[in-house]
Amino acid sequence: MTVSILVLSTSLNANSKSRLLAQSFQSELEASGASVDWLDLQEHELPFCGVEGAWDNAEIKALRTRVEACDGILVASPIYNYDVNAAAKNFIEFTGGAWTQKVVAMAVSAGGLRSGMAPLGFINSLMLDFRCIVLPRYVYAVDDAYDDSGQPSEATVERINDLSRELVRVTKALRS
């Protein structure tokens, strides 16, 4: 059984480390036999969810369809001010109902060690509001999680590979 995993890169920064994490996940998920749909929010100019008429936006509807079509989701986000970025939360506002019963894994990149629990509010929303099955661990990467060339270090890649395999395994188990 092949599962479909949406890899969601939420950073709007062209030099994003969380995007590098997402790209590493994409490669490992494909190697694990998943069908992967890459979605980079930097490639989409989404309105803010509170703007009048935003819910009727054709691009939003197309993105919601992509979320509905997948079995699982890997969310890669930077941490800003002890939380996932605003683009990730805005995307959830628009597509939230499409996340119902999806298996979700998280990967976050932060500037320091003190934001380790920052994704928990976002994760709680996914679990409580949309009944997502969120894997009980995530990749948390700070500056030393990357090598001198800026790529995820060997130890970080090992954590990415472990979480990728777990995302595919749990998604397959729940879809069978």
Side-chain angles (χ1 to χ4, degrees):
M1 164 199 267
T2 300
V3 293
S4 172
I5 305 293
L6 178 71
V7 175
L8 175 62
S9 176
T10 68
S11 179
L12 303 181
N13 180 338
N15 300 312
S16 169
K17 289 183 177 179
S18 67
R19 179 175 293 99
L20 293 173
L21 290 177
Q23 290 167 340
S24 295
F25 270 96
Q26 178 182 9
S27 297
E28 182 56 29
L29 288 164
E30 288 170 346
S32 297
S35 169
V36 176
D37 180 11
W38 172 261
L39 176 53
D40 188 343
L41 292 186
Q42 190 177 108
E43 298 170 1
H44 302 274
E45 290 190 33
L46 303 183
F48 290 113
C49 67
V51 173
E52 189 171 333
W55 291 90
D56 296 324
N57 181 300
E59 188 170 18
I60 296 294
K61 291 176 182 179
L63 293 174
R64 190 176 305 123
T65 299
R66 288 174 68 182
V67 173
E68 288 170 346
C70 71
D71 299 311
I73 303 169
L74 179 282
V75 178
S77 177
I79 297 297
Y80 295 132
N81 196 30
Y82 297 96
D83 205 350
V84 299
N85 69 340
K89 293 184 270 187
N90 191 55
F91 186 77
I92 289 292
E93 289 293 333
F94 281 123
T95 62
W99 290 65
T100 303
Q101 296 296 316
K102 304 290 183 192
V103 179
V104 178
M106 295 281 305
V108 296
S109 188
L113 296 173
R114 295 196 174 141
S115 298
M117 294 175 58
L120 294 182
F122 186 79
I123 289 169
N124 280 336
S125 174
L126 293 175
M127 290 187 309
L128 298 173
D129 294 338
F130 308 114
R131 305 295 186 245
C132 292
I133 295 91
V134 181
L135 297 184
R137 63 180 178 160
Y138 50 91
V139 171
Y140 181 80
V142 294
D143 290 338
D144 67 356
Y146 303 91
D147 63 23
D148 292 338
S149 69
Q151 295 298 310
S153 68
E154 188 175 320
T156 304
V157 169
E158 187 174 316
R159 293 188 347 237
I160 289 167
N161 294 350
D162 289 345
L163 189 57
S164 294
R165 287 189 295 273
E166 187 71 357
L167 177 57
V168 170
R169 185 189 70 76
V170 171
T171 303
K172 282 182 177 180
L174 292 173
R175 299 299 174 231
S176 60

